[in-house]
Amino acid sequence: MTLANGRETLAIPGPSVMPDRVLRAMHRAAPNIYEGELVDMMPGMIADLKAVARTKGHVAIYISNGHGAWEAAVANTHNRGEKALVLATGSFAKGWAGMATAMGVDCEIVDFGRESGVDLARLAEVLAADKDHQFKSVLLTQVDTSSSVRSDVPGIRRVLDEAGHPALLMVDCIACLGSDRFEMDAWGVDVTVAGCQKGLMTPPGLGFVFFNAKADAMRDDAEYVSSYWDWRPRTRPEALYQYFCGTAPTHHLFGLREALDMIGEEGLENIWNRHETLARAVWAAFEAWGQGGPARLNVANPAERSHAVTTVSIGAPKGTQLRHWVTEHAGLTLGLGLNMGPNGERSSDSHFRIAHMGHVNSHMLLGTLATIESALIALDVPHGPGGVSAAAKICAV
Ligand SMILES: *Cc1c(COP(=O)(O)O)cnc(C)c1O
């Protein structure tokens, strides 16, 4: 028997759930791109995007996914042969380093494993060893979407300052902008990379690079940035096409406008609190289940766990079986355990991920957790009692 008929739930860490309001805002005829509503709404959209990243700097919008924004951020700040220090807490910083390496940047990767954040003491040692300041930048993900590790960005800034190191601090917030607290200017971040399809609740297709004056000064020496990825015309436009180096992504912009309205109506602080509460509900459920079986959270220290996504393990092959079971029997899609196999295999049979980013409320999340409990029962995975009630208690606020 299947109970899957009904509205399905997608809980993979991007693309995230798209609000009906966003979809409706996109369902309209093509607009004029030379004058009128679309042209008029750009300044407000730029201001609202910057408010979400908590910055007074610039934002360049690209018709791209996150990978495009990664490339743009590096192209505008680096030359071939220059060094970057990459702090890895899972897969995604390594992915960014791979792109930078292909562009001729000499990346030194410090790997902090897949279960904890950047170790600040070790970072201090690496920076102290770089006496003549060869590192032009420090690259990291605030949240690694494969491990669900969240790093202490203000702490990393402090270590850079204490070392007197001038490297640009470049942070990938693709997974967590609009979910986990992030304050670009107050935290001293020079470049922030983001995308529209996770916390910003818009179909994949827009990449964002936020940058400050220090990063923009590096653009003066960046010899290899091509005109499409150049962030300068996009942030000093005289006509709409200059924001995008060509035709605007019209319907994505209507969708994003609606999403930013929703963010404005709820308020960033409330959004961060909602995500924290939902994340704590997931943790509580897994802690209860883990008392009587193999279920465990990938990140032991709560301070190093993302509020946007949670990576868990129940042992191989049950992790994969559980994902298939919830889709077939309950209409729920969970994220696969990306690069979490013992040897970093792309799909791990032990791990899976629960996304709780963007347009997610407590009844969606409690439904997801109760469905996981059904799967643990159906698949004979031993587990402690009370997981769903522990989560329900957290949501009783
Ligand atoms: C999703 C994600 C990316 C990649 O974004 P794409 O849109 O798939 O190119 C990069 N970094 C992090 C942290 C992500 O979560």
Side-chain angles (χ1 to χ4, degrees):
M1 185 176 86
T2 176
L3 302 175
N5 291 306
R7 188 162 189 155
E8 68 274 13
T9 296
L10 183 72
I12 65 172
S16 64
V17 173
M18 292 177 224
D20 291 342
R21 275 178 66 177
V22 169
L23 294 172
R24 276 198 300 273
M26 299 178 75
H27 191 87
R28 52 182 292 178
N32 187 355
I33 57 168
Y34 298 105
E35 56 188 23
E37 183 186 353
L38 195 65
V39 176
D40 297 342
M41 82 185 197
M42 283 311 295
M45 181 123 91
I46 296 290
D48 291 349
L49 271 175
K50 292 200 290 196
V52 170
R54 294 258 162 116
T55 182
K56 294 193 169 4
H58 299 283
V59 59
I61 310 176
Y62 296 91
I63 301 175
S64 80
N65 55 20
H67 281 68
W70 271 350
E71 181 154 326
V74 173
N76 279 281
T77 50
H78 290 73
N79 268 320
R80 284 178 205 162
E82 286 181 353
K83 286 188 78 170
L85 177 63
V86 180
L87 311 176
T89 55
S91 302
F92 283 83
K94 292 177 190 166
W96 196 3
M99 290 195 80
T101 303
M103 296 163 74
V105 176
D106 178 6
C107 290
E108 181 169 324
I109 298 177
V110 182
D111 196 338
F112 297 91
R114 299 183 291 191
E115 295 176 6
S116 51
V118 168
D119 174 353
L120 299 181
R122 186 148 161 230
L123 174 62
E125 284 167 23
V126 174
L127 291 175
D130 183 33
K131 289 197 176 47
D132 48 357
H133 298 161
Q134 291 289 302
F135 295 128
K136 285 283 172 299
S137 61
V138 174
L139 271 55
L140 73 141
T141 56
Q142 185 187 7
V143 166
D144 183 283
T145 325
S146 59
S147 63
S148 72
V149 166
R150 183 177 50 155
S151 282
D152 173 9
V153 176
I156 291 166
R157 172 83 266 167
R158 205 168 52 242
V159 171
L160 274 162
D161 289 347
E162 282 165 10
H165 202 294
L168 275 193
L169 180 56
M170 301 178 58
V171 183
D172 168 350
C173 294
I174 298 172
C176 57
L177 190 70
S179 302
D180 276 287
R181 175 177 290 275
F182 178 74
E183 313 214 27
M184 178 168 172
D185 291 357
W187 292 1
V189 174
D190 300 303
V191 176
T192 302
V193 175
C196 67
Q197 79 270 28
K198 298 186 187 180
L200 302 189
M201 307 177 285
T202 302
L206 298 178
F208 309 110
V209 180
F210 301 87
F211 58 95
N212 63 14
K214 180 178 171 187
D216 197 34
M218 307 253 300
R219 166 66 191 81
D220 289 334
D221 304 320
E223 288 169 30
Y224 297 102
V225 61
S226 59
S227 50
Y228 187 79
W229 295 111
D230 192 350
W231 67 28
R232 286 217 168 132
R234 290 172 185 262
T235 50
R236 294 147 176 87
E238 282 159 19
L240 183 68
Y241 79 91
Q242 289 171 321
Y243 281 103
F244 304 103
C245 195
T247 303
T250 52
H251 286 63
H252 273 81
L253 295 176
F254 290 131
L256 180 65
R257 179 61 270 166
E258 192 69 23
L260 290 168
D261 285 346
M262 292 173 69
I263 289 171
E265 287 161 24
E266 185 176 357
L268 256 188
E269 297 283 344
N270 292 332
I271 289 172
W272 291 335
N273 288 338
R274 170 166 56 85
H275 282 84
E276 180 182 349
T277 305
L278 296 180
R280 284 199 290 114
V282 176
W283 308 342
F286 275 83
E287 273 152 15
W289 293 329
Q291 296 303 309
R296 87 179 172 85
L297 295 159
N298 185 51
V299 182
N301 179 358
E304 296 184 321
R305 293 179 192 152
S306 171
H307 298 162
V309 56
T310 302
T311 303
V312 299
S313 161
I314 57 168
K318 295 284 186 180
T320 298
Q321 289 172 1
L322 183 142
R323 275 195 304 107
H324 292 158
W325 191 93
V326 298
T327 302
E328 283 158 27
H329 293 267
L332 167 66
T333 304
L334 297 168
L336 56 75
L338 188 64
N339 301 337
M340 292 301 287
N343 304 307
E345 293 90 340
R346 180 171 159 75
S347 173
S348 125
D349 287 332
S350 50
H351 292 70
F352 60 89
R353 293 173 297 165
I354 302 154
H356 31 91
M357 52 175 61
H359 195 54
V360 182
N361 56 25
S362 60
H363 99 260
M364 293 161 76
L365 188 79
L366 290 171
T368 294
L369 294 170
T371 301
I372 291 172
E373 191 164 292
S374 288
L376 294 173
I377 296 165
L379 297 171
D380 284 326
V381 179
H383 58 282
V388 173
S389 1
K393 272 196 201 103
I394 302 273
C395 293
V397 285

